[in-house]
Amino acid sequence: MQAVPIHQAKTQLSALIAAVEQGEDVVLTRHGKRVARLVREPDALPPSIEARRQAITAELQALRAKVGPRGAALLDDDRMRDTARAALDRRAAGWTAPLAPEGIPHAGG
């Protein structure tokens, strides 16, 4: 909290408002006595944790509704890993050439 004489506050009102926006209380004084206080407006405060939680929950529910039940299966780590592994195995099956008895690939492929 900072105390500022009224005559000084007139010349630096913008800076005082910026301080109030950052959450600081400013007290205006006249002849050393407190006469007014600048405080942040309640609706200008950041949303509470509960309000943020509710907003995030609503966004997740909307995303789930948009993605649908098939999308939920895609998020299953085990199923996604197994599907990717099977696809890779199918593609890799054609990459290997038969090996000669000594472990050297055949020249003819």
Side-chain angles (χ1 to χ4, degrees):
M1 178 178 74
Q2 60 177 304
V4 180
I6 292 174
H7 66 85
Q8 183 181 345
K10 288 187 228 176
T11 60
Q12 51 180 259
L13 184 59
S14 294
L16 294 174
I17 296 294
V20 169
E21 287 175 331
Q22 296 300 316
E24 186 174 347
D25 287 358
V26 176
V27 175
L28 302 179
T29 61
R30 179 180 290 139
H31 305 294
K33 294 184 180 183
R34 296 173 178 213
V35 293
R37 180 184 301 259
L38 299 177
V39 294
R40 191 172 184 177
E41 264 309 296
D43 62 325
L45 293 174
S48 68
I49 292 174
E50 179 61 22
R52 291 176 62 202
R53 185 191 67 77
Q54 289 175 355
I56 290 170
T57 301
E59 287 180 31
L60 285 173
Q61 288 172 343
L63 179 61
R64 285 184 184 133
K66 184 178 179 181
V67 172
R70 279 194 82 215
L74 293 176
L75 299 177
D76 179 28
D77 290 340
D78 292 334
R79 179 182 254 171
M80 190 167 38
R81 182 193 65 236
D82 294 344
T83 302
R85 220 176 250 163
L88 182 60
D89 289 344
R90 283 192 303 273
R91 283 183 289 177
W95 296 346
T96 57
L99 296 177
E102 329 49 75
I104 302 171
H106 289 284

